[in-house]
Amino acid sequence: RDVGNPKKIMEDLLEQLDENINGSIHFNYTGGTKTMVAHIYNLLKERYSDNFKGSYLDARTFKIIYDDGKVEPVDGDLRSRIKVDIETLLKLHLYECKQIKTWENCEFSGVVEKIKEEVIEKDKIDDFVRWLDDPFRKIFKDGKDITEKKKKFQEHVKSDHVKSAVQKFEYETPDFIWNILDAFPEGKRINQGRELWIPGDRVSNNDFEDRIDHTVEFLDGKWFEWYIYREISEKLKRKGLEEGKHFGISLKAKKNKDFEIDIFIINGYELTGISITTGTKESNCKQKGFEIIHRVRQIGGDESKAILITLMDSKEVENSQGDLSFITGVSEEKFIVYSKNNLKDIGDKVLGEVFK
């Protein structure tokens, strides 16, 4: 009835215990509040004496530690013996899995490859981010529902405050970004040659939305999630993890409210949740950090890990990781923040943390 009230805890437990128990009682006290653990442990120890044994799961060593000092397993850890898939993990916490995407769901896999080639490998992330802020977002994100209605978009690009962004798009876009835009399927491009594609009168609303909606969403931030996923997915398969069960992208689940994790990985039973943001400001990235720490604890417990991948500088990353670890009480071993300087070898870095 009350997980913090010793008297009520004892009363509730005594109602459930059979006084005629002749066998042994084992109490694993990994979960629960400190009040529950202390009082239930003492009651069972006093009542069942030699027939009582206790244990807990050590979140640092991934071993079961018994009261008599015995440790299991002696070699390795439990993650190699106990395998849990994401749907089972969610069900254990009364969540329903609504969506898991895999690499097959990436509509623009060729664009991801081109971004890796033109942006990541050539160290042009800052130039790319600046172009996304202006002119891309000033054209496609500066206004509500402008990519859903053809006429509204036509009027939008003719307005005084957008004209300069359109000119910048057509005359100042660097060659490497034109290469990226041309990598989109022809019917999904926001450009026509080296000009902004503006729908003509014969284009229907549905055709207009179908052409640019997913492309705009992808360039606005999804590209970063898919790039990170590309860098880890094949490596995870080689580790024996099954895509869709032990790792995936765009996980959505529901209990009372919906929630989403950008990328999840389960090593044995240990959950790692990854939040990915194109944010460059510490304040915005911290909010994403709070969210992923909370989410993985909800369904993965103290053994879970949280990773935040950002486009911040290294110095800001150090500040954010220290602050968030202190405020949330999570150890720095269980929460890692990466900066834009880590993107070239991000796959190896993430796997290094997951299988640590």
Side-chain angles (χ1 to χ4, degrees):
R1 290 172 295 165
D2 188 340
V3 298
N5 186 310
K7 185 173 184 295
K8 290 182 179 179
I9 289 171
M10 302 287 272
E11 289 173 353
D12 290 346
L13 182 62
L14 287 170
E15 285 183 8
Q16 302 299 323
L17 290 175
D18 186 346
E19 292 185 4
N20 298 315
I21 289 177
N22 294 316
S24 62
I25 294 227
H26 188 101
F27 177 39
N28 181 282
Y29 46 90
T30 305
T33 64
K34 291 183 174 63
T35 309
M36 291 170 67
V37 168
H39 290 281
I40 293 174
Y41 185 97
N42 287 335
L43 174 65
L44 295 176
K45 181 71 173 174
E46 178 182 344
R47 186 162 183 171
Y48 296 102
S49 186
D50 294 339
N51 289 328
F52 169 75
K53 292 181 180 179
S55 67
Y56 74 98
L57 176 61
D58 186 5
R60 292 165 297 182
T61 63
F62 304 99
K63 296 176 184 288
I64 293 287
I65 313 294
Y66 294 89
D67 287 358
D68 61 4
K70 182 183 176 183
V71 177
E72 288 187 354
V74 176
D75 298 320
D77 64 56
L78 285 173
R79 293 175 299 179
S80 62
R81 303 188 181 194
I82 300 173
K83 307 291 184 182
V84 181
D85 63 82
I86 188 63
E87 292 202 27
T88 301
L89 188 62
L90 288 168
K91 285 180 181 177
L92 286 169
H93 294 83
L94 306 181
Y95 284 93
E96 180 185 0
C97 183
K98 306 295 289 186
Q99 172 186 282
I100 299 171
K101 290 186 178 181
T102 63
W103 182 249
E104 289 184 355
N105 300 118
C106 184
E107 185 178 5
F108 303 124
S109 56
V111 185
V112 177
E113 299 291 340
K114 185 60 71 173
I115 289 174
K116 177 179 173 65
E117 174 189 331
E118 297 283 357
V119 177
I120 307 300
E121 293 181 352
K122 294 180 180 179
D123 295 317
K124 291 186 176 180
I125 189 68
D126 290 338
D127 294 335
F128 190 44
V129 169
R130 278 193 292 268
W131 181 87
L132 289 170
D133 285 338
D134 181 16
F136 169 75
R137 290 194 179 97
K138 286 191 175 180
I139 295 172
F140 292 100
K141 304 299 290 185
D142 186 16
K144 187 178 180 181
D145 302 330
I146 57 173
T147 61
E148 295 180 8
K149 300 293 183 182
K150 179 190 74 174
K151 188 174 181 180
K152 193 170 185 178
F153 183 75
Q154 289 172 329
E155 294 171 352
H156 173 74
V157 295
K158 291 177 182 177
S159 60
D160 291 338
H161 71 287
V162 180
K163 279 182 179 179
S164 60
V166 174
Q167 289 177 342
K168 192 170 185 178
F169 180 95
E170 295 184 343
Y171 295 106
E172 298 180 33
T173 293
D175 288 342
F176 80 91
I177 293 180
W178 287 121
N179 294 337
I180 293 170
L181 297 179
D182 289 340
F184 283 91
E186 188 172 349
K188 295 290 186 178
R189 293 176 188 169
I190 60 173
N191 63 306
Q192 190 165 359
R194 294 212 166 188
E195 294 180 350
L196 178 69
W197 178 75
I198 299 174
D201 293 337
R202 294 184 178 182
V203 177
S204 68
N205 271 325
N206 287 339
D207 289 342
F208 167 69
E209 185 178 353
D210 183 63
R211 172 159 177 159
I212 72 167
D213 188 48
H214 288 174
T215 302
V216 170
E217 180 187 34
F218 182 84
L219 287 170
D220 192 42
K222 286 292 182 183
W223 67 270
F224 196 27
E225 294 177 26
W226 282 111
Y227 167 71
I228 301 299
Y229 193 70
R230 177 205 179 281
E231 294 299 288
I232 65 174
S233 57
E234 289 302 318
K235 292 181 172 68
L236 291 170
K237 288 179 183 177
R238 289 195 289 270
K239 287 281 190 178
L241 274 60
E242 186 174 346
E243 189 175 20
K245 288 187 175 183
H246 306 126
F247 70 95
I249 186 171
S250 296
L251 167 68
K252 290 184 180 179
K254 183 175 183 178
K255 183 158 61 174
N256 299 322
K257 294 181 179 180
D258 293 351
F259 81 80
E260 183 171 351
I261 292 178
D262 292 336
I263 295 175
F264 74 89
I265 305 169
I266 304 179
N267 175 23
Y269 62 84
E270 182 191 31
L271 172 70
T272 297
I274 304 175
S275 181
I276 300 163
T277 175
T278 56
T280 58
K281 295 182 179 179
E282 188 177 352
S283 57
N284 294 335
C285 293
K286 275 186 176 180
Q287 181 59 41
K288 297 283 285 186
F290 277 119
E291 289 174 4
I292 192 61
I293 290 171
H294 176 63
R295 292 304 182 202
V296 297
R297 279 181 162 180
Q298 275 184 301
I299 58 174
D302 292 338
E303 289 76 32
S304 62
K305 291 180 179 177
I307 295 176
L308 175 64
I309 303 176
T310 76
L311 294 181
M312 290 191 294
D313 292 321
S314 297
K315 185 176 180 181
E316 291 176 311
V317 160
E318 291 177 11
N319 294 336
S320 298
Q321 182 165 329
D323 289 349
L324 285 167
S325 294
F326 177 76
I327 293 169
T328 60
V330 65
S331 72
E332 294 196 22
E333 292 180 350
K334 298 292 186 180
F335 176 58
I336 308 296
V337 185
Y338 289 118
S339 72
K340 62 184 180 182
N341 307 98
N342 303 125
L343 297 184
K344 283 187 178 180
D345 59 349
I346 192 67
D348 292 334
K349 287 186 178 298
V350 169
L351 262 70
E353 291 298 329
V354 170
F355 293 96
K356 184 183 286 185

